[in-house]
Amino acid sequence: MRDLRRLFVVVPVAVLVACVVGIILTQGSMAHLSFLKGKHTAGELVDQRPWQTAQAMAAMAVSAEEQEYARQALRLADHEVDQAFAQAMRQATVDTRTLTGDALAQQQKVARLESLVKEDQAKVDQLTAAAKGAPAGTENDDLDLAKAQAQLDSDELTDAKGDLAKASGDKSAQIKEELSAREAEMKKYDAQMGDTTQTAVVSAKRYGTLMGRIGAWLAQRTRMEALRQAKAQADADAAALTLQHSEIDKKLNAPGSADAAQTSAKSRVACLKQMREMVTIQGILDDRIQAHQQLSQVYGQWLNQVKLQHTIVVHMILVSLAWIASLVLLGAIAGMIANKLLDRLRVDRRSQNTLRNVVGLGVHVVTLVLVLLVIFGTPSQMPTILGLATAGLTVVFQDFILAFFGWFVLMGKSGIRVEDWVEINGVRGEVVEVGLFRTTLLETGNWTAQGHPTGRRVTFMNSFAVRGQYFNFSTSGQWMWDEIKVNIPRGAETYKLIESIHGAVAKETEENAKQAEREWQRATKQGGLSQFSAEPSVELQPASSGVDMVVRYVTRAGERFDVRNRLYQRVIDLMGEAEDAGVQSVVGNKA
């Protein structure tokens, strides 16, 4: 058993320690966005992290001010990514190099297929025009054949262009695919966007409980860390783009870059076109650098706004803690005042201690409930909670509830009154108090024996009147059955003596028996319902010294001792007379 108890303690402690360690190790995981680290997603030619960062941060916006900053960040990030795609497309043009080997063969194949596709399309157009002048219902196999050939050559051209892009290193097609995917994603995001207008800085005050405020405080710390990372990333991207701008500027300003010793005018024109593209890329880089700088500024303003809300939440947490301290202090003061008032009451020490414990417990419970309301607030599912609380209280206080209703039963016509002689749960005694929840008896011994009080006060919850049973021996005359026991020696006059004793008891209790029968009959409210008899009864039991005679009779509870003494005196007289008569009979026989 001791090992089992230790197990119940050790296992929860181990789980708690493991959970605390895990919480500490993972507490900053939500603050670090995966796409803020590294360059960009593997396989993508265009860096879309600015948009991904702004999109993730927008989902974390709480107040109206934060949402405004989020919209600005989304707009700038969208523009920056669009410019990145434009730069990538132009960079692909600039990076085009002179083709040789397999790449040159693929280029020649593409040119041949393009010419062939043009011829196929011209033939299809010619046959289509001729088919319009033909009679209706005429089949044109040549047109169908031309269309099929044109489709085949077109598919072959598409495949050849793909092979050429791989061989030459041209990434324009892949960039276009990424751009198409981004446009589809943007349409989906715009469709999901809704009006989530919230209150301004005051939105932080919607946290009305201490737990809610602490949760908001922790969430704001996470949000501030994410904003710091987003701002740092925007600054880093701006610096990287500035470096790219400087490298292009060096290429443009390099000696002989504009009029190198080209052998032909065609090469010179191509070089000038490439330089013009590089100048255009420089302009795009300037735009992107400015966008990143503005993004950094927006994230900084957003961070300041969250810091302001953070200060508000800290203030509200301090207010909640002040309320808790005030409630605890008021509870302590109320307990002290209650104790002072109880000290002035003139009651016995035991009652005073009981009242002090009850009042102290009540003050502590009220204080605890108020503190819990400050910490957790009013439960949201109030009907369910009230139902569960009511069910729990019913189970816990079922004895008090039954005792309360039992008091109404005891106050009824067939209930119990003070000074009644009753038996409750095997305990007999006289009722001295019938309270709202408890009934108190002055315990007595066996009434058929001595019937003396023991001096003990026995208290019962009134629930016995509802789910138990009790006996009330106090009728209108408080009648009860009592008995006497006499040992009669064996002899010739035994039965005659028994009859004499029975007759003496019947005569002594005749008046009580008649009155008891009348009262019992009235108690039934119906004549003839039960035939009650209060006549004395005799029970004979064999004994080694003769016959044991038990006589039971009806008497009043308050007169039972006097009646019993008179009957014993009468029995002694009868037994003495019988003994004298027996002696005289023996003497007469001898004479």
Side-chain angles (χ1 to χ4, degrees):
M1 181 62 72
R2 183 174 300 175
D3 294 337
L4 184 61
R5 292 178 180 175
R6 289 179 180 176
L7 184 64
F8 281 134
V9 173
V10 171
V11 172
V13 169
V15 174
L16 179 60
V17 171
C19 291
V20 171
V21 172
I23 290 171
I24 294 174
L25 294 177
T26 60
Q27 62 181 350
S29 60
M30 293 300 295
H32 299 280
L33 305 177
S34 59
F35 45 79
L36 291 178
K37 299 180 179 180
K39 292 186 177 180
H40 54 270
T41 305
E44 290 185 354
L45 298 178
V46 180
D47 186 6
Q48 302 184 37
R49 286 178 302 147
W51 167 257
Q52 295 171 347
T53 302
Q55 186 179 9
M57 297 305 303
M60 302 172 67
V62 175
S63 65
E65 288 86 350
E66 289 187 64
Q67 288 186 350
E68 180 61 28
Y69 290 130
R71 284 191 286 268
Q72 294 180 21
L74 287 172
R75 177 178 58 80
L76 291 171
D78 184 31
H79 175 71
E80 198 281 334
V81 174
D82 288 341
Q83 291 294 83
F85 273 101
Q87 178 184 346
M89 294 294 294
R90 292 186 177 275
Q91 191 69 42
T93 304
V94 172
D95 293 340
T96 303
R97 51 187 169 79
T98 304
L99 302 179
T100 58
D102 184 58
L104 181 60
Q106 289 292 337
Q107 185 183 32
Q108 294 173 354
K109 181 179 179 181
V110 169
R112 179 175 57 81
L113 288 173
E114 287 179 346
S115 176
L116 185 59
V117 168
K118 289 181 180 179
E119 292 178 0
D120 291 339
Q121 186 63 38
K123 186 176 181 180
V124 169
D125 293 340
Q126 181 181 359
L127 292 175
T128 301
K132 290 182 179 179
T138 303
E139 295 183 359
N140 195 337
D141 296 335
D142 293 338
L143 177 60
D144 295 337
L145 182 61
K147 288 182 178 180
Q149 184 64 41
Q151 184 64 40
L152 178 61
D153 293 339
S154 178
D155 294 340
E156 189 175 354
L157 175 61
T158 301
D159 184 64
K161 286 182 177 180
D163 295 338
L164 176 61
K166 293 179 181 179
S168 62
D170 186 8
K171 301 179 180 180
S172 300
Q174 186 177 354
I175 294 174
K176 289 180 180 179
E177 291 179 359
E178 291 184 10
L179 180 59
S180 300
R182 167 174 164 72
E183 291 175 350
E185 181 182 356
M186 288 299 299
K187 289 181 180 180
K188 182 178 179 181
Y189 180 80
D190 293 338
Q192 293 177 349
M193 287 292 290
D195 185 9
T196 56
T197 304
Q198 300 179 6
T199 58
V201 179
V202 182
S203 63
K205 295 184 178 180
R206 72 178 183 271
Y207 303 108
T209 64
L210 179 59
M211 290 299 297
R213 293 169 183 176
I214 293 176
W217 184 79
L218 295 175
Q220 287 170 350
R221 286 175 57 87
T222 301
R223 198 154 65 250
M224 286 191 294
E225 181 62 26
L227 286 169
R228 290 191 186 97
Q229 293 184 43
K231 185 178 184 301
Q233 186 61 46
D235 293 334
D237 290 342
L241 292 175
T242 302
L243 183 61
Q244 291 184 24
H245 188 280
S246 299
E247 292 176 355
I248 294 176
D249 197 21
K250 290 179 181 179
K251 291 180 181 180
L252 290 175
N253 295 328
S257 61
D259 50 356
Q262 277 81 12
T263 59
S264 65
K266 183 176 180 181
S267 299
R268 185 179 180 85
V269 171
C271 181
L272 291 174
K273 287 183 178 180
Q274 186 177 14
M275 293 180 65
R276 185 182 63 185
E277 292 293 338
M278 292 176 67
V279 171
T280 304
I281 291 175
Q282 269 192 326
I284 295 175
L285 284 173
D286 290 334
D287 193 1
R288 293 184 64 190
I289 292 171
Q290 185 179 3
H292 278 290
Q293 291 174 347
Q294 292 177 350
L295 267 175
S296 177
Q297 183 179 2
V298 169
Y299 286 139
Q301 294 173 350
W302 191 347
L303 179 60
N304 293 332
Q305 177 64 32
V306 178
K307 288 181 179 179
L308 175 61
Q309 296 179 3
H310 198 59
T311 304
I312 296 174
V313 171
V314 170
H315 169 75
M316 297 171 67
I317 290 174
L318 294 177
V319 171
S320 297
L321 293 176
W323 271 109
I324 293 174
S326 301
L327 290 173
V328 174
L329 179 60
L330 290 175
I333 294 174
M336 295 172 59
I337 294 175
N339 289 333
K340 293 292 184 181
L341 295 176
L342 290 174
D343 290 338
R344 297 181 181 180
L345 292 178
R346 296 182 177 180
V347 295
D348 60 282
R349 194 169 190 178
R350 186 174 61 181
S351 300
Q352 192 178 54
N353 291 334
T354 302
L355 289 175
R356 182 176 287 106
N357 293 333
V358 171
V359 173
L361 179 61
V363 171
H364 293 162
V365 169
V366 172
T367 303
L368 178 61
V369 170
L370 294 177
V371 169
L372 291 177
L373 288 176
V374 173
I375 297 175
F376 300 102
T378 305
S380 57
Q381 300 295 333
M382 184 57 70
T384 303
I385 293 176
L386 287 177
L388 293 176
T390 302
L393 291 175
T394 302
V395 174
V396 173
F397 297 105
Q398 58 178 334
D399 290 337
F400 288 94
I401 295 173
L402 291 176
F404 176 73
F405 287 102
W407 180 79
F408 291 96
V409 175
L410 296 177
M411 290 294 102
K413 189 173 182 180
S414 300
I416 292 176
R417 301 292 183 271
V418 177
E419 298 183 358
D420 282 355
W421 295 82
V422 299
E423 179 183 337
I424 303 173
N425 295 338
V427 179
R428 297 180 180 182
E430 181 178 358
V431 180
V432 296
E433 182 183 357
V434 180
L436 190 62
F437 294 100
R438 294 177 175 85
T439 298
T440 304
L441 305 182
L442 184 63
E443 186 186 30
T444 62
N446 188 355
W447 291 348
T448 60
Q450 68 275 9
H452 298 298
T454 62
R456 293 184 298 219
R457 293 170 62 93
V458 185
T459 302
F460 301 91
M461 294 291 290
N462 291 340
S463 56
F464 71 85
V466 177
R467 61 184 181 185
Q469 59 184 5
Y470 59 93
F471 301 97
N472 191 344
F473 301 102
S474 300
T475 59
S476 58
Q478 295 189 355
W479 302 107
M480 62 173 294
W481 285 92
D482 202 357
E483 65 181 22
I484 60 173
K485 187 174 183 181
V486 183
N487 180 262
I488 301 176
R490 185 180 295 107
E493 303 295 331
T494 298
Y495 293 101
K496 185 177 179 180
L497 181 58
I498 291 174
E499 290 295 335
S500 299
I501 294 174
H502 180 258
V505 173
K507 184 178 180 180
E508 181 67 28
T509 61
E510 180 179 6
E511 186 63 31
N512 286 340
K514 292 180 179 180
Q515 188 174 353
E517 288 181 358
R518 289 194 297 267
E519 291 182 3
W520 292 345
Q521 289 291 342
R522 286 197 302 268
T524 60
K525 298 182 180 179
Q526 270 186 325
L529 180 63
S530 298
Q531 297 299 324
F532 294 104
S533 176
E535 293 291 333
S537 62
V538 177
E539 180 182 353
L540 300 179
Q541 299 175 355
S544 58
S545 59
V547 178
D548 287 336
M549 177 182 181
V550 180
V551 183
R552 294 183 177 87
Y553 55 92
V554 171
T555 182
R556 294 182 187 274
E559 301 174 355
R560 63 187 186 280
F561 299 116
D562 294 336
V563 173
R564 185 185 301 177
N565 290 333
R566 290 199 302 268
L567 290 178
Y568 275 130
Q569 183 64 43
R570 182 59 178 156
V571 168
I572 292 173
D573 293 341
L574 291 175
M575 293 181 69
E577 294 175 359
E579 185 178 356
D580 292 341
V583 172
Q584 292 177 4
S585 175
V586 172
V587 173
N589 291 335
K590 288 182 178 180

